[in-house]
Amino acid sequence: IGGVLVVGISVLAALTLLPAVLGVLGQKINSWKIPGLKPVEQRLAQQSANNGFWHKLAERVSKNPILVAIPVLAFLLLLGSPFLHIRFGEPTYQILPPSEPARQGAEILDKNFPTYGKSSDIYLIIKSKDGKMTDKANAEAMYDYATSLKTKFPEVQQVTAVGQNILALPKAQVVQLLTTYGATPQLLSPQFQEFAKQIVKGDTATLKVLTSIEYSSQAANDFVKAFRAYQPATLSVAVGGEQPGLQDFVDVLFADFPIAILVVVVVTYIVLFLMFQSVILPIKAVIMTGLSLSASYGAMVWIFQDGNLLNIIGGQNLGYVEATLPVLLFAILFGLSMDYEVFMLSRIKETYDETGDNRKAVAIGLERTGGVITSAALLMVVVAGAFVSADIVVVKAIGLGMALAVALDATIVRALLVPATMELLGKANWWAPRFVTRWMPKFSVE
C-alpha cells in the first residue's frame, strides 16, 4: 500500500506540479552551471548529431552482438546461481550489531545455556477420531504414539506434558490417571486433577516435544516434514511451534508468490504489447528484468547466507536469507527495471517507426535515454547503498540487493545485453500477428 501511494502521488505531482513549476521558472531552470558538465544546449546538440558515447557504444555492440551477449548472459547467470541453494529463515538476535545490549544478553544466555534459543521445540495437538481422549483406547494410543517418537526420531529428547516427561512414567500410570479423570475426577487429588486438566479436554490432548534440532536449520525443516508425516492410526496430530510456524510461513508466502509474479508479468506484457505492438519486445523486457533480479538474489545468498564479503560490509553470517526479502525486492525492483526498459524502448520504437532501421533505432534510442537511465540508476544506487551501512543485517541485505540489481540493470543489461539481443533479433523485434494488430488501437509512443 505504501509503495502504491508513493508511486501514485509521484505520478500526480509529475503531471501537475512539475509542469507548473517549470512554467514559472522558464529558462531560469538552467541558470546555474555545474563545473565539469557540458551546457544543456551542447549536450542536446550532441544527441541530435548522434555522436555521443551511448550511440557509439550501441554501434560497437551491434557489430559483434554474439561476442557481447554470451559473456554478459554467462556473467548474470553465474551471479544468480547461488539462488539455487537458498534457504529461508526468520531473524534472530544475530541480525543486531554486537554492541546492542539485547544481543549481548542473548549471547550470554546462549553461552551459559547451550540449548537456549537453539532447540526446535514442537507442540502437539492430538485429537481422537472416535470418543474422548480420556477413553482407555485413546489414552493408550496417545502414550504409545508419544513413546514411539523417541524411537523413530533420534532428535527427540523428551515428550512432556505440563513439564513432566511422560516417557519416564509407566504406561499404566498415565492411562489410569487420564481414564480416572474422565470418569470420576473426584477420586484424584487436586494436584492430579489440575495436571490432567492441562493435558486433555474432550477429544483433544496437548503435548510438547523437546528436540536437539537447531532452530532455522535445514535439518530442522527436514525433521518437521518427517514429523508431520508420521501420524498414528487412531489419532490425528497437528504439529506447531516456532520451527513448524516458520516453515508454514515460508510455505504460504511462496505458495502465493508465484501468483503475484504471474499477475505482474501478464499485466506488464499486455501493457507493453499494446504500447509497442510487438510480441517479442515484451517477452524480452520481462527476461531482461528477470536476469537482473536473479543476479541480485544470487548475490544476496552468496553474501548473507554463505557468508562471503561480510568482513568488508560488516554483519553476521546468518546462514539463511530472511524469508520476506525476495518478495520485497521483486516488488520494488521489477517496477524499477521495467521503468528503465520502457524509457529506452519508447525512444527505440519512435525512431524505428520513422526509419524502419532496427540498428539505427537501437543506437539512437540508447543515445537519447542512456544518460537519463544512468542518472536515475545512480540516484537509486546511492540511496539503496546507504542502507548497507546500517547495523541491522536485514536492512543491509535489502540495500545491497536493490543497489546491485539497479546497477546491473542500468549498465550491462541496458547498455550491452539489450542492444545485442535486439540486433540479433532484427525485424523479429517488431513482429505481431496481423489478425491481432487489426483490432489494436493505433497510437504513437508519445
Side-chain angles (χ1 to χ4, degrees):
I1 292 173
V4 170
L5 289 174
V6 168
V7 172
I9 294 172
S10 297
V11 170
L12 183 63
L15 296 177
T16 56
L17 179 61
L18 179 60
V21 172
L22 292 175
V24 171
L25 291 175
Q27 291 299 319
K28 294 179 181 178
I29 193 71
N30 294 321
S31 295
W32 297 343
K33 306 299 180 184
I34 301 176
L37 190 65
K38 296 178 181 178
V40 174
E41 295 80 5
Q42 187 176 344
R43 283 185 283 131
L44 289 175
Q46 189 178 49
Q47 281 189 0
S48 300
N50 296 324
N51 61 359
F53 168 78
W54 298 105
H55 192 279
K56 294 176 182 178
L57 177 63
E59 287 183 332
R60 290 177 182 176
V61 171
S62 298
K63 291 178 182 178
N64 299 287
I66 295 179
L67 294 179
V68 173
I70 291 178
V72 171
L73 185 60
F75 176 68
L76 291 173
L77 292 175
L78 178 65
L79 280 181
S81 60
F83 185 66
L84 297 174
H85 65 267
I86 191 171
R87 184 159 57 83
F88 298 109
E90 282 184 324
T92 65
Y93 68 82
Q94 294 176 325
I95 70 168
L96 298 173
S99 59
E100 277 294 314
R103 173 168 178 168
Q104 293 172 357
E107 287 177 337
I108 292 171
L109 286 170
D110 206 9
K111 179 181 178 181
N112 293 282
F113 300 90
T115 60
Y116 173 81
K118 288 187 175 181
S119 61
S120 299
D121 296 339
I122 306 294
Y123 296 88
L124 306 179
I125 298 296
I126 304 172
K127 296 183 73 69
S128 67
K129 296 179 180 179
D130 183 23
K132 298 180 178 180
M133 287 303 301
T134 51
D135 294 344
K136 184 178 180 181
N138 288 329
E140 290 177 342
M142 182 183 71
Y143 186 89
D144 292 340
Y145 168 72
T147 53
S148 70
L149 294 176
K150 179 70 174 176
T151 304
K152 185 170 181 61
F153 301 101
E155 301 89 347
V156 173
Q157 297 176 322
Q158 293 183 17
V159 181
T160 67
V162 200
Q164 174 67 50
N165 181 12
I166 67 171
L167 298 182
L169 300 175
K171 177 179 179 179
Q173 181 180 349
V174 175
V175 172
Q176 183 181 4
L177 171 64
L178 295 179
T179 54
T180 302
Y181 175 74
T184 52
Q186 64 273 14
L187 296 181
L188 297 174
S189 66
Q191 178 183 356
F192 282 119
Q193 286 187 40
E194 186 64 26
F195 178 78
K197 180 181 179 181
Q198 295 187 49
I199 299 176
V200 295
K201 182 178 181 181
D203 63 349
T204 305
T206 178
L207 296 174
K208 180 180 179 181
V209 181
L210 306 182
T211 76
S212 59
I213 299 297
E214 183 177 353
Y215 174 69
S216 194
S217 64
Q218 184 59 47
N221 290 333
D222 297 338
F223 171 75
V224 169
K225 290 179 181 178
F227 200 96
R228 282 175 159 165
Y230 180 63
Q231 293 282 330
T234 60
L235 302 173
S236 174
V237 180
V239 179
E242 285 191 79
Q243 184 63 42
L246 169 61
Q247 188 168 310
D248 291 341
F249 170 72
V250 172
D251 289 346
V252 171
L253 183 68
F254 287 92
D256 294 341
F257 190 30
I259 299 174
I261 293 175
L262 180 63
V263 170
V264 170
V265 169
V266 169
V267 172
T268 300
Y269 182 89
I270 292 172
V271 171
L272 294 183
F273 178 68
L274 292 173
M275 183 174 184
F276 299 117
Q277 306 203 359
S278 164
V279 171
I280 303 300
L281 282 182
I283 296 175
K284 184 189 69 64
V286 170
I287 292 175
M288 296 295 111
T289 299
L291 288 171
S292 300
L293 272 170
S294 66
S296 174
Y297 285 172
M300 194 166 53
V301 173
W302 189 70
I303 294 172
F304 296 100
Q305 178 177 305
D306 300 343
N308 299 291
L309 299 182
L310 288 176
N311 58 329
I312 297 176
I313 66 174
Q316 177 80 26
N317 180 12
L318 300 178
Y320 59 83
V321 172
E322 204 278 324
T324 60
L325 284 181
V327 181
L328 291 172
L329 288 177
F330 172 82
I332 297 170
L333 295 176
F334 193 93
L336 281 173
S337 178
M338 200 54 67
D339 276 351
Y340 301 153
E341 184 80 9
V342 171
F343 289 159
M344 184 174 178
L345 289 180
S346 62
R347 299 284 75 79
I348 294 175
K349 168 71 171 172
E350 187 179 59
T351 305
Y352 182 80
D353 288 344
E354 293 175 357
T355 65
D357 187 330
N358 182 73
R359 178 178 292 187
K360 183 178 181 180
V362 172
I364 293 177
L366 185 59
E367 173 68 22
R368 301 287 170 83
T369 60
V372 176
I373 292 175
T374 303
S375 300
L378 180 61
L379 289 173
M380 193 65 204
V381 169
V382 170
V383 173
F387 286 23
V388 180
S389 65
D391 292 329
I392 306 296
V393 176
V394 175
V395 179
K396 282 181 181 290
I398 293 175
L400 186 67
M402 290 173 59
L404 180 62
V406 170
L408 289 172
D409 196 78
T411 53
I412 64 173
V413 172
R414 301 293 161 224
L416 298 176
L417 192 57
V418 170
T421 54
M422 292 196 71
E423 175 65 22
L424 291 171
L425 290 170
K427 289 188 176 295
N429 286 303
W430 315 101
W431 177 81
R434 288 188 177 182
F435 71 89
V436 175
T437 56
R438 285 176 185 172
W439 56 263
M440 287 177 61
K442 303 299 180 183
F443 52 82
S444 67
V445 174
E446 286 295 333

